[in-house]
Amino acid sequence: QKEVEQDPGPLSVPEGAIVSLNCTYSNSAFQYFMWYRQYSRKGPELLMYTYSSGNKEDGRFTAQVDKSSKYISLFIRDSQPSDSATYLCAMSTGNKLTFGGGTRVLVKP
Amino acid sequence: DVKVTQSSRYLVKRTGEKVFLECVQDMDHENMFWYRQDPGLGLRLIYFSYDVKMKEKGDIPEGYSVSREKKERFSLILESASTNQTSMYLCASSWGDRGDYGYTFGSGTRLTVV
């Protein structure tokens, strides 16, 4: 069993819809939680990070962490075609990250 | 704009060749990492380094070695390239001992071994 599980998708939504992404994990020692966005043929870029359980909002993006359920989520409101990418969750106990496999998202105009 | 620069975007090498992948960061980061990314397998850590001349094995170090002679440069070496090392290779860096600062990734090197 992988430490971090993420549905590979693809997840296809119409423009303007809410995109909902999630990851589950098994290591209760994970303290830091991140979401990366990766466009085709590019390296991942850090989108959001959280430390504790709860919600964090940044523009159209909201990250949620539920440590009791070992579950994290990313929501993208008012999705745009430019949001089409692969989204990777990542988590760590310190400075070494463990990544989920990534979810491919397609936002159709 | 801070950057992690990987020397090549695309490489084609022959089986048995010794291959060098170079990575340079301009952020004065202590930590540097090499990953490979394959469809269905995600990102897998090959080697990482917390300081100059220091290196630690990741999850899949077999067939690879690394070198970090200067803080800003971290090289990945494929001692004798094989076809199963065809992959996207990603270099990343971070600073400090707190994971919440996240990693900065390079754009990747797509290596094909024929």
Side-chain angles (χ1 to χ4, degrees):
Chain A
Q1 185 188 3
K2 294 180 182 177
E3 273 193 296
V4 180
E5 297 279 359
Q6 186 175 7
D7 190 318
L11 179 63
S12 183
V13 300
E15 183 176 355
I18 294 175
V19 176
S20 175
L21 304 166
N22 55 73
C23 289
T24 58
Y25 62 95
S26 57
N27 186 351
S28 58
F30 285 137
Q31 298 179 60
Y32 306 100
F33 304 91
M34 292 158 220
W35 287 94
Y36 285 80
R37 177 177 62 196
Q38 185 176 21
Y39 291 115
S40 182
R41 299 186 185 87
K42 298 281 190 180
E45 55 178 329
L46 182 63
L47 204 56
M48 293 192 72
Y49 64 86
T50 54
Y51 171 66
S52 58
S53 283
N55 292 2
K56 182 176 181 179
E57 198 170 307
D58 184 3
R60 297 186 295 113
F61 299 90
T62 300
Q64 283 186 353
V65 174
D66 183 347
K67 286 187 176 180
S68 62
S69 301
K70 297 191 183 69
Y71 188 93
I72 70 170
S73 300
L74 177 72
F75 300 97
I76 308 172
R77 291 183 299 281
D78 188 25
S79 58
Q80 305 295 313
S82 58
D83 294 325
S84 297
T86 297
Y87 291 80
L88 302 106
C89 63
M91 44 200 80
S92 82
T93 58
N95 57 1
K96 188 161 71 78
L97 293 182
T98 301
F99 287 87
T103 300
R104 188 168 162 231
V105 172
L106 301 171
V107 181
K108 296 184 176 179
Chain B
D1 194 16
V2 294
K3 280 188 178 175
V4 175
T5 303
Q6 294 184 231
S7 54
S8 303
R9 291 299 308 275
Y10 300 94
L11 274 179
V12 180
K13 296 292 182 181
R14 295 193 180 279
T15 302
E17 275 194 76
K18 191 168 186 177
V19 181
F20 294 85
L21 302 183
E22 305 288 342
C23 175
V24 177
Q25 51 97 359
D26 64 1
M27 295 165 283
D28 202 33
H29 283 173
E30 289 91 350
N31 311 315
M32 296 189 75
F33 307 83
W34 275 106
Y35 286 86
R36 62 178 285 177
Q37 187 175 31
D38 301 286
L41 297 175
L43 282 157
R44 292 181 291 167
L45 181 63
I46 305 171
Y47 267 97
F48 58 103
S49 168
Y50 293 144
D51 202 350
V52 176
K53 295 192 186 295
M54 293 184 65
K55 59 185 179 184
E56 302 229 12
K57 293 180 180 179
D59 301 318
I60 51 163
E62 296 78 19
Y64 303 94
S65 63
V66 290
S67 172
R68 194 168 181 199
E69 296 296 319
K70 293 185 178 181
K71 189 175 185 179
E72 67 271 18
R73 187 180 296 270
F74 193 36
S75 302
L76 179 70
I77 303 152
L78 285 67
E79 299 291 344
S80 177
S82 64
T83 54
N84 63 12
Q85 292 178 310
T86 291
S87 186
M88 167 73 101
Y89 289 88
L90 288 160
C91 175
S93 69
S94 71
W95 61 275
D97 58 359
R98 293 189 56 194
D100 62 341
Y101 292 122
Y103 292 2
T104 301
F105 281 89
S107 294
T109 296
R110 185 163 294 280
L111 173 67
T112 303
V113 182
V114 297

